[in-house]
Amino acid sequence: MAGAGPHVAPAPPFAPPYWAVIFTSTLTDDSGGYAQTAEAMVALAERQPGYLGHDSARDANGLGVTVSYWRDEASIRAWKRVADHAAAQAAGQRRWYAAYTTHVAQVTRAYAKAEPTTRAS
Amino acid sequence: MAGAGPHVAPAPPFAPPYWAVIFTSTLTDDSGGYAQTAEAMVALAERQPGYLGHDSARDANGLGVTVSYWRDEASIRAWKRVADHAAAQAAGQRRWYAAYTTHVAQVTRAYAKAEPTTRAS
């Protein structure tokens, strides 16, 4: 990951079936403390049993799309308990989001292009 | 959607079960024509049978996360045929993506917060 280009890469496909939690949001103007808490939540997720990876982007227009990947649904439920507890401790959490939607889904297939396309013919 | 704030909102939850196609990507430095084609692809998707909605964000760090929502898996397969054809016609398509991953998933539950939190107690 070092060298030229951004230090980001899409999470790879995992072995199906696995689960995805799709979290989309817009923020209010009152997002003090949000960035630090979001980082702490990612660090917390990464230590959870069943965590596989995540992708997260927030557009210049304000829309954020975060997808976390999990081995099974039980891992998601356990993570939700931990996350709800951590969020309750973060005093600002309730005022950060103007709107959000969560979709919980079972991934049945996945594929990737990992390398720049080279001329094959 | 008019007035203060960005003119974006997360797609709402739909009635489960429905399907999600999660497409994550990074771009190469050679992305001429990408934005116009991406817009055209969205317009094309919106006219497809079974299309429910989509969320898309590209982060300042370069990672893009796009999720499209579909009524059933047959709609996704039909869309893939249309999209592959359109992409083949877009000459630059093969060189735009440095890397990408696609996850196809069945959404089993979804929920939302649509309004800013007001003080309830």
Side-chain angles (χ1 to χ4, degrees):
Chain A
M1 297 295 297
H7 289 204
V8 296
F14 304 99
Y18 54 97
W19 288 74
V21 178
I22 303 159
F23 181 79
T24 59
S25 67
T26 49
L27 301 178
T28 66
D29 294 333
D30 186 11
S31 57
Y34 170 75
Q36 302 92 307
T37 300
E39 269 186 43
M41 295 291 273
V42 167
L44 200 57
E46 288 173 345
R47 293 197 299 269
Q48 279 288 301
Y51 171 87
L52 298 174
H54 81 280
D55 292 301
S56 191
R58 187 165 297 278
D59 206 272
N61 72 10
L63 183 70
V65 183
T66 296
V67 186
S68 57
Y69 307 97
W70 301 87
R71 179 42 57 204
D72 50 37
E73 203 174 5
S75 303
I76 293 176
R77 294 188 187 277
W79 163 239
K80 186 170 191 311
R81 284 193 295 274
V82 170
D84 284 352
H85 181 68
Q89 293 184 317
Q93 196 269 344
R94 295 181 66 206
R95 63 170 198 270
W96 289 329
Y97 294 112
Y100 66 72
T101 303
T102 302
H103 314 257
V104 179
Q106 184 180 41
V107 179
T108 56
R109 62 182 190 276
Y111 48 95
K113 170 192 172 182
E115 300 295 327
T117 301
T118 53
R119 186 180 296 269
S121 59
Chain B
M1 299 292 298
H7 289 205
V8 295
F14 305 98
Y18 53 97
W19 288 74
V21 178
I22 303 159
F23 180 79
T24 58
S25 67
T26 49
L27 301 177
T28 66
D29 294 331
D30 186 11
S31 58
Y34 170 75
Q36 300 94 306
T37 301
E39 267 185 44
M41 295 292 272
V42 168
L44 200 57
E46 289 173 345
R47 293 197 300 269
Q48 280 289 301
Y51 171 87
L52 298 175
H54 81 279
D55 293 300
S56 190
R58 188 166 297 280
D59 207 89
N61 71 12
L63 183 70
V65 183
T66 296
V67 187
S68 57
Y69 307 98
W70 302 86
R71 178 41 57 204
D72 50 37
E73 203 174 8
S75 303
I76 294 175
R77 294 188 188 277
W79 162 240
K80 186 172 191 309
R81 283 192 296 273
V82 171
D84 285 352
H85 182 67
Q89 293 184 316
Q93 195 269 345
R94 295 181 67 207
R95 62 170 198 270
W96 288 330
Y97 295 111
Y100 67 72
T101 302
T102 302
H103 315 257
V104 179
Q106 184 180 40
V107 179
T108 57
R109 63 181 188 277
Y111 48 95
K113 169 192 171 182
E115 301 294 328
T117 301
T118 54
R119 185 180 296 268
S121 58

